[in-house]
Amino acid sequence: MVGSMLGNEVQRVEDPDLLRGRGTYVGNLAPEGVVHLGFVRSPLAHAEVTAVDTSAAAQAPGVITVRTAADLDLPAPQPFGELNPRCRRPPLATDRVRFVGEPVAVVVGESPAAVADALELVDVDYEPLPAVADPEQALRPDAPRQFPELDGNVAGGYRDPAGADVLSGADVVVRARIENQRVAVVPLEGNAILAEPGGPDAEHDVVVHVSTQMPHALRDAVAGTFGWPAERVRVIAPHVGGAFGGKVGLVPEHAVAIALARELGRPVKWVETRSENMQAMPHGRAQVQYAELGLRRDGSIVGLRCRVVGDAGAYGGFGGGLALGPTRTMAQGVYEIPRISYDAVAALTNTTPVGAFRGAGRPEAAAMLERLIDLAAVELGEDPVALRRKNFLHPQKFPYTTVTGADYDSGDYDVPLTEALRLAGYEQLRAEQARRIEADERLLLGIGVSTYVEITGGGSGEYAEVEVHEDGARIKVGTSAHGQGHATSFAMIVADTLGIPMQAVEFVQSDTARVPRGSGTGGSRSLQIGGSAVQRAGEEVLRRARELAASRLEASVDDIELTDDGELGVAGVPAATLTWAELARAAAEDGGALAAHVDFRPGGATFPFGAHVSVVEVDVETGRVRPVRHVAVDDCGRVLNPLLVRGQQHGGAAQGIAQALWEQVTFDAEGNPANGTLADYTIPSAADLPSLETANTETPTPRNPLGAKGIGESATIGSTPAVQNAVVDALRHLGVRHVDMPATPERVWRAVRAARDGRAGVPWQEPPEVFATLPLRDAGAPDDADEAVV
């Protein structure tokens, strides 16, 4: 064939169904006999459950049954990832509750209205216990215990034996206590499940329709929890309204729904309300970082010391472990840092459990490091761009293993930075900033820069199958799209490999009965791993087709080629060709299908990188910050469809900017959510965001045949520190050195007032004493750098 569609903008094939209302979500499903669930949730953050009276609710109109943990006798759901098995969460609260919103009882009714009414009739007696919502306070020796059987509120942790020694020889040490605040995931669609019971005489013991990003992992968790063989469980994810890391694994409400479907012999459905989603879906980020960077007077970095508190929330799920894993892995970033000491602890608090959110530990590392670089630039009197360039890892060093064990594949970190500065007009912005300062204007200009590298893919491989039939082709793949455009990108790969038009390519995903295995979607893995599997399967189909064509056309296999018309023919003999439909029939005549499946495993994780420039206006009198421009230049290796990449950049930057300026989940001292609904929790509208300016550089990876790296989380990682740096940069001449996120008007106003009163400075205090008592990190422990991330 002449030319290739790969690398060109191709419109998404998924969109017509969604735009015309033909999408199918769990909430749309209504099988005959379906019943509905609702959960009685704790209004207290920490309390003993002394009694649960369900009698009035059980007698309410339309109610089928009301159950507690004692009634169900259901084992704890098999966790997606577990930081501490001694803190495992039950499906319904047993002896005590540990966060506001924890399910205590479940009501089953004939309609959602009947369930809602009956929930009010369940009477739960609580004996309040002291609560702790702040992770640093939770680490104090006298803090209320979350689990009496534990010595304290440490779910996990370690320390590095090097400690402060990594800073020896530094002429300057900049340090800061940095809060990477807790944020809500806020997908358009919350959690939802429809469990349909089967049985010994049915094909499956249960069929689960669920909003998830990893159907096969959820199937395995269901099988493990309930003791079924995996093949007896069918999981189907229809259209999914966003996930961002928040829809992985078997959550407690899922397990309850499945147990009740099995017991009642009827389909059971639960669709999370928005307020439930805000309180119960795991939150993201939630780190307090004590970070110190040592440098020589010439600007070269000597060492980095980090002591990081990860808030696990209630229970010992994997969220608190993000501070122990990926944040450490990516702590070196794009810089030559010869020595790193990294300590981390996960604290148990009476708050919503913490989980993954777009980037899952990697944005936290970039935000920490990029703030330190800007602080160092001020201390040394250098331009922040120049200081970054001085310390960049050089391209000739790749592949490169960092101090923390990350195996970087390829990169040239100055290329996207140079392009971002050019697009932004950096020198002109600095001149305008100086003019406003000289004129003593109220609206000050801030220019923030960030450079980053992140880890994507890696870990387990992926399954794909390509089959050609008489009407076109069919792709089956183990990834699970929830808005990214998999159907488009994978069809592009098949069309490019086989010459079959995209509109003739059927896409099958997210059904464990139709796709035998798969690792799902997370960690920006889908195109580079799933797409490579599709390409390899397509190439195998082409090989088999060439053999069929050679046999039918009485030619050598070496002479069979794919023509510009998408047929297979003999080179130099235009009349000797076969269509794909004819080849599919030929394969059937030979007793098989024209198909191939591949389990592709990458040669390791990939490391996309980039540079962002944020321009903000700060009202020095009110503290209000308005983002004016945002330039993102992200390098995700080879770009297969610029349209899809740009969409990921826009979405990621929007969420990253929102964290820097607006979003934060807060609790009062007793663990009560202060902004548990969207009436109180600030997410931006389109009017709040500037028009995003995006571009790409391309540095292919050698670790997969497509040369592609991840892009789904990159812009979130690059945007947040750029905006935070921009806010501080606008106020730098006043003496402001740091503003924690979100940079709300009040925080900015107070920072300005403190600077004018001579009280400005970088926040610092000694980290919690618990760091001195943590076990030493096992130098021989397997590194997590090449493991898949969510």
Side-chain angles (χ1 to χ4, degrees):
M1 291 182 63
V2 177
S4 170
M5 69 168 56
L6 300 184
N8 296 301
E9 294 204 0
V10 176
Q11 294 295 314
R12 287 165 45 107
V13 300
E14 299 93 335
D15 291 342
D17 281 350
L18 296 170
L19 293 171
R20 294 167 182 165
R22 295 199 295 256
T24 301
Y25 297 86
V26 173
N28 303 129
L29 303 175
E32 185 178 353
V34 65
V35 298
H36 302 267
L37 297 189
F39 290 91
V40 178
R41 296 184 180 272
S42 171
L44 300 177
H46 199 197
E48 291 183 352
V49 180
T50 58
V52 183
D53 184 356
T54 63
S55 57
Q59 296 171 16
V63 171
I64 297 169
T65 188
V66 184
R67 298 300 179 88
T68 65
D71 300 325
L72 281 177
D73 191 26
L74 181 62
Q78 191 174 90
F80 171 76
E82 193 166 43
L83 178 61
N84 189 330
R86 298 173 69 189
C87 312
R88 183 172 290 187
R89 180 180 172 183
L92 294 174
T94 54
D95 59 324
R96 67 169 64 189
V97 291
R98 292 183 170 88
F99 70 97
V100 171
E102 182 169 5
V104 177
V106 60
V107 175
V108 186
E110 298 287 357
S111 69
V115 170
D117 290 341
L119 288 173
E120 303 294 329
L121 300 176
V122 178
D123 188 13
V124 184
D125 290 337
Y126 300 97
E127 185 64 37
L129 295 169
V132 59
D134 181 275
E136 291 181 285
Q137 293 180 8
L139 295 173
R140 295 176 180 173
D142 59 348
R145 297 277 180 90
Q146 308 309 302
F147 291 85
E149 59 271 27
L150 298 184
D151 293 335
N153 292 322
V154 174
Y158 57 78
R159 59 187 170 95
D160 193 308
D165 291 347
V166 299
L167 303 175
S168 63
D171 300 318
V172 172
V173 175
V174 293
R175 55 176 56 91
R177 177 188 177 277
I178 300 169
E179 290 189 26
N180 202 292
Q181 79 274 26
R182 177 187 287 245
V183 295
V185 177
V186 201
L188 284 175
E189 177 199 29
N191 276 310
I193 184 171
L194 171 69
E196 297 184 274
D201 297 328
E203 190 174 354
H204 300 94
D205 286 303
V206 67
V207 177
V208 180
H209 303 261
V210 62
S211 185
T212 182
Q213 57 195 80
M214 296 180 178
H216 292 84
L218 195 145
R219 177 201 62 186
D220 295 344
V222 171
T225 299
F226 291 92
W228 289 316
E231 64 271 14
R232 296 290 299 166
V233 178
R234 182 181 185 183
V235 172
I236 303 168
H239 283 108
V240 173
F244 308 115
K247 295 180 180 177
V248 296
L250 180 71
V251 303
E253 292 90 344
H254 292 163
V256 171
I258 293 167
L260 287 167
R262 179 177 62 169
E263 180 181 321
L264 298 174
R266 296 177 65 177
V268 170
K269 182 177 177 179
W270 172 66
V271 178
E272 190 175 53
T273 67
R274 179 55 61 185
S275 60
E276 283 182 304
N277 177 264
M278 295 293 289
Q279 294 183 21
M281 178 173 277
H283 296 151
R285 309 291 186 250
Q287 291 186 11
V288 180
Q289 305 161 329
Y290 291 85
E292 301 168 87
L293 186 68
L295 306 97
R296 296 187 181 90
R297 281 290 172 190
D298 65 3
S300 58
I301 297 174
V302 169
L304 171 68
R305 187 185 189 192
C306 309
R307 283 167 285 180
V308 180
V309 177
D311 186 353
Y315 301 101
F318 80 103
L322 296 173
L324 282 65
T327 303
R328 176 187 178 275
T329 298
M330 298 314 301
Q332 184 169 336
V334 296
Y335 304 111
E336 183 79 67
I337 304 179
R339 294 179 293 182
I340 296 176
S341 174
Y342 187 99
D343 306 348
V345 62
L348 295 162
T349 59
N350 294 118
T351 61
T352 301
V354 173
F357 173 63
R358 201 167 192 165
R362 293 105 76 201
E364 296 88 318
M368 174 178 63
L369 191 55
E370 290 303 289
R371 278 303 300 132
L372 289 175
I373 293 293
D374 262 35
L375 287 169
V378 172
E379 184 68 24
L380 295 171
E382 283 209 40
D383 182 272
V385 170
L387 185 60
R388 285 173 168 81
R389 283 177 163 153
K390 183 173 293 184
N391 288 284
F392 277 159
L393 289 165
H394 294 294
Q396 59 266 30
K397 289 198 170 187
F398 292 92
Y400 174 86
T401 301
T402 69
V403 176
T404 57
D407 183 19
Y408 290 0
D409 52 350
S410 60
D412 189 341
Y413 300 141
D414 192 49
V415 173
L417 176 59
T418 298
E419 179 64 4
L421 296 173
R422 184 191 70 80
L423 292 172
Y426 185 70
E427 297 302 328
Q428 296 91 326
L429 288 170
R430 286 295 180 198
E432 173 60 15
Q433 180 186 51
R435 186 198 67 76
R436 294 192 188 194
I437 293 172
E438 179 67 24
D440 196 25
E441 292 190 6
R442 176 175 173 172
L443 294 179
L444 299 174
L445 199 68
I447 305 111
V449 176
S450 76
T451 50
Y452 73 90
V453 60
E454 72 138 333
I455 181 172
T456 65
S460 58
E462 194 52 85
Y463 172 88
E465 177 183 319
V466 175
E467 179 181 357
V468 175
H469 49 75
E470 292 193 39
D471 297 321
R474 180 182 300 110
I475 306 170
K476 295 181 180 180
V477 67
T479 61
S480 185
H482 39 272
Q484 299 93 327
H486 293 184
T488 300
S489 55
F490 294 164
M492 287 176 64
I493 293 170
V494 168
D496 186 78
T497 304
L498 302 181
I500 296 174
M502 283 184 63
Q503 60 269 25
V505 178
E506 178 190 0
F507 181 64
V508 178
Q509 63 160 7
S510 307
D511 184 340
T512 62
R514 300 188 67 188
V515 182
R517 53 193 171 273
S519 297
T521 295
S524 300
R525 68 185 301 277
S526 296
L527 180 64
Q528 58 182 303
I529 304 179
S532 293
V534 169
Q535 185 187 58
R536 288 280 172 84
E539 290 171 345
E540 178 61 18
V541 167
L542 181 59
R543 184 191 67 79
R544 296 181 184 181
R546 291 178 68 218
E547 292 175 351
L548 281 170
S551 172
R552 297 308 192 269
L553 298 174
E554 299 181 348
S556 168
V557 171
D558 294 336
D559 291 333
I560 301 298
E561 63 181 12
L562 190 61
T563 72
D564 293 343
D565 296 326
E567 299 177 349
L568 268 68
V570 181
V573 187
T577 62
L578 291 172
T579 66
W580 281 107
E582 291 171 326
L583 290 165
R585 286 194 294 270
E589 291 169 1
D590 289 350
L594 186 48
H597 67 264
V598 166
D599 288 281
F600 173 80
R601 189 176 181 89
T606 62
F607 293 83
F609 57 93
H612 285 219
V613 176
S614 169
V615 184
V616 302
E617 283 186 338
V618 179
D619 188 325
V620 74
E621 296 299 325
T622 68
R624 180 177 181 268
V625 178
R626 183 174 74 89
V628 177
R629 292 179 64 193
H630 193 93
V631 178
V633 180
D634 300 299
D635 192 310
C636 58
R638 184 186 179 196
V639 174
L640 268 67
N641 187 336
L643 179 70
L644 296 181
V645 168
R646 192 161 61 249
Q648 291 295 323
Q649 289 177 285
H650 283 200
Q655 288 182 308
I657 295 169
Q659 182 184 357
L661 296 181
W662 300 297
E663 292 192 38
Q664 182 176 19
V665 175
T666 57
F667 299 87
D668 67 17
E670 285 72 44
N672 298 306
N675 52 356
T677 72
L678 289 183
D680 307 302
Y681 184 82
T682 306
I683 59 173
S685 70
D688 296 311
L689 296 166
S691 180
L692 302 171
E693 304 166 55
T694 61
N696 302 101
T697 58
E698 295 189 53
T699 308
T701 180
R703 294 178 179 171
N704 64 68
L706 293 175
K709 306 183 183 185
I711 187 58
E713 294 148 304
S714 291
T716 307
I717 295 167
S719 59
T720 304
V723 176
Q724 187 180 21
N725 284 344
V727 173
V728 179
D729 179 73
L731 307 171
R732 177 168 47 91
H733 67 288
L734 300 176
V736 175
R737 293 293 175 264
H738 183 75
V739 178
D740 264 322
M741 301 184 295
T744 61
E746 180 182 1
R747 279 185 171 169
V748 173
W749 183 86
R750 289 187 181 278
V752 171
R753 290 301 172 273
R756 287 176 172 173
D757 294 341
R759 296 180 289 106
V762 180
W764 180 258
Q765 63 194 46
E766 284 305 306
E769 296 178 2
V770 72
F771 279 105
T773 65
L774 294 173
L776 292 175
R777 187 176 189 277
D778 183 2
D783 193 78
D784 59 7
D786 284 341
E787 291 303 308
V789 286
V790 176

